[in-house]
């Protein structure tokens, strides 16, 4: 049986390992990319040597100027790019260092919280024994239970009133004459029409027996609002009574432990929650910087492409190709040695380029696998599966399955499905006397936080709302017959 914290910790360690592998690969691609440009510069130098050998002094000088110009511009761009790369690398290093410190701090807090939670779990039987014969506690528990029952009953009545309003209001809402008079405020002090309009409205009201219908409709729409307000007040009272009950439980636990264990656990949880927020921001920042560095290391940034372009165009020039063919035609061993150097450089460039392509493919694969891991970690945190109460019955989640996820053999969704099926929530020890229904327990142990009360429908909103039903009135009069 794995605890949630063990499982999440192992996944996060795998993520850290994958990040390091990705970072090393980016550095390797960057070194290889720089190696390509260095080889191209040396190839350019070999072309210049060949030009000096084959051409007269003036022509060689012209060629050298053109090649030197291209090389200088390429070098300028590469130096600028190198400076930018160093800035990005330093920013990434600082972000990762800060993340490591935050993560280490979180682990220390997690350990402290886990110790406090286990201590609290060990004392549950003792606290139950103290409270099960405490008359004041038992009286407050009965008061809290009665307040909860009242709140649930009030919530049910409010829901029933809301449903009645929706069902019985359909006929009223579907009659255009009734709606017309209701919206004008006919029969109320807000109605201020005179003359012929007033006479016609009076005639319409008599035709549909509006006065009786208005009173019924006003009561029909008013009851749910009143019931909802009453239900909300009952819910507030129930929450207050449960908080009083939770205070008994926490005080008894404090006496047994000699310290405020619940307060300590909740304090650790608050700090961890803040660190998790910071970690999420740092992860996003690291992702952005790592993406920029990946672009640099693979030579996809604009400065590198421009520098590469300068050298490539020079090496592809027609007059250099002519020099190549001329060198092959002459029996002189000197220019053949130069040609051999050029061929060697070309082969080495192609070899390094192949390695770069392979590393880029691996880089994309690692990035995809890291994204899968990140999604799993995000889901674990959103479900609070790293809490004390979370356990997993499938031990393979931290061994075989995690290894397959890291290697990319399964997706994050596959891993998450297995984790969901094996997830369990353990309950604190004891006879459930001290913290009934989790009231007063820390959230990490299955409680509901400092409010001491689980959110329920009794605190919802029941009033208001429009009526979209499509009933109708027959024979010019109301046929509902409902009275309130």
């Amino acid at each position: 049986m794995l605890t949630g914290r063990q499982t999440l910790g192992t996944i996060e360690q795998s993520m850290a390992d994958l990040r390091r592998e990705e970072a090393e690969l980016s550095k390797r691609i960057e070194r290889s990319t720089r190696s390509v440009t260095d080889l191209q510069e040396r190839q350019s130098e070999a072309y210049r040597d060949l030009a000096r050998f084959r051409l007269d002094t003036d022509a060689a000088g012209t060629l050298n100027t053109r090649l030197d110009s291209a090389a200088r511009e390429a070098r300028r761009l590469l130096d600028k790019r190198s400076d930018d790369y160093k800035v990005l690398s330093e920013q990434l290093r600082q972000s990762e260092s800060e993340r490591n410190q935050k993560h280490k701090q979180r682990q220390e807090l997690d350990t402290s919280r886990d110790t406090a939670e286990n201590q609290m779990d060990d004392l549950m039987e003792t606290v139950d024994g103290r409270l099960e014969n405490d008359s004041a506690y038992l009286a407050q528990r009965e008061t809290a239970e009665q307040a909860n029952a009242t709140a649930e009953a009030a919530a049910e009545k409010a829901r029933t009133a809301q449903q009645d309003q929706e069902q019985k209001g359909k006929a009223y809402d579907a009659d255009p004459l009734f709606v017309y008079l209701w919206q004008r405020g006919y029969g109320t002090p807000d109605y201020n029409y005179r003359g012929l309009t007033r006479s016609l409205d009076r005639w319409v009201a008599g035709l549909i027996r509006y006065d009786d219908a208005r009173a019924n409709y006003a009561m029909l729409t008013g009851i749910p609002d009143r019931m909802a307000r009453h239900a909300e007040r009952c819910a507030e009272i129930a929450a207050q009574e449960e908080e009083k009950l939770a205070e008994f439980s926490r005080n008894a636990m404090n006496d047994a432990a000699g310290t405020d264990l619940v307060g300590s656990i909740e304090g650790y949880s608050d700090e961890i929650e803040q660190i998790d927020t910071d970690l999420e921001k740092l992860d996003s920042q690291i992702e952005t910087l790592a993406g920029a560095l990946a672009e640099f290391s693979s030579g996809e940034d604009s400065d590198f492409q421009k520098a590469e372009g300068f050298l490539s165009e020079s090496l592809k020039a027609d007059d250099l190709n002519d020099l190549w063919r001329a060198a092959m035609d002459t029996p002189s061993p000197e220019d053949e040695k130069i040609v051999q150097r050029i061929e060697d450089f070309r082969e080495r460039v192609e070899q390094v380029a192949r390695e770069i392509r392979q590393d880029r493919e691996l880089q994309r694969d690692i990035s995809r696998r890291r994204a899968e891991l990140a999604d799993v970690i995000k889901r674990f945190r959103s479900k609070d599966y790293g809490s004390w109460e979370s356990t997993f019955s499938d031990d393979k989640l931290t061994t075989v399955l995690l290894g397959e996820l890291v290697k990319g053999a399964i997706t994050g969704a596959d891993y998450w499905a297995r984790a969901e099926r094996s997830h369990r929530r353990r309950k604190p020890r004891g006879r459930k006397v001290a913290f009934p229904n989790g009231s007063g327990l820390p959230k990490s142990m299955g409680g509901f936080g400092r409010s001491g009360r689980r959110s329920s429908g009794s605190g919802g909103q029941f009033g208001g709302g429009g009526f979209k039903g499509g009933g109708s009135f027959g024979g010019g009069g109301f046929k509902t017959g409902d009275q309130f």
Side-chain angles (χ1 to χ4, degrees), residues 16 99 110 175 212 222 250 283 303 316 335 359 448-449 482:
R99 191 193 187 285
D110 239 345
D175 188 284
D212 291 339
R250 288 192 291 263
D283 284 341
D303 284 341
K316 293 176 183 176
D335 58 354
D359 284 344
F448 321 123
D482 295 306

Side-chain angles (χ1 to χ4, degrees), residues 242 246 435-443 445-449 452-454:
E242 281 206 3
F435 298 92
N437 300 318
S439 177
L441 273 178
K443 289 174 68 176
M445 297 183 72
F448 321 123
R453 189 169 193 272
R454 188 191 297 273

Side-chain angles (χ1 to χ4, degrees), residues 57 179 316 370 407 420 432-433:
T57 304
V179 172
K316 293 176 183 176
R370 178 175 47 76
K407 290 185 296 185
E420 285 271 69
K432 311 300 182 287
V433 176

Side-chain angles (χ1 to χ4, degrees), residues 291-309:
L293 280 173
E295 182 178 294
F296 264 81
S297 64
S298 61
E300 295 176 358
D301 58 288
S302 60
D303 284 341
F304 181 83
Q305 291 176 349
K306 288 178 182 178
E308 188 178 47

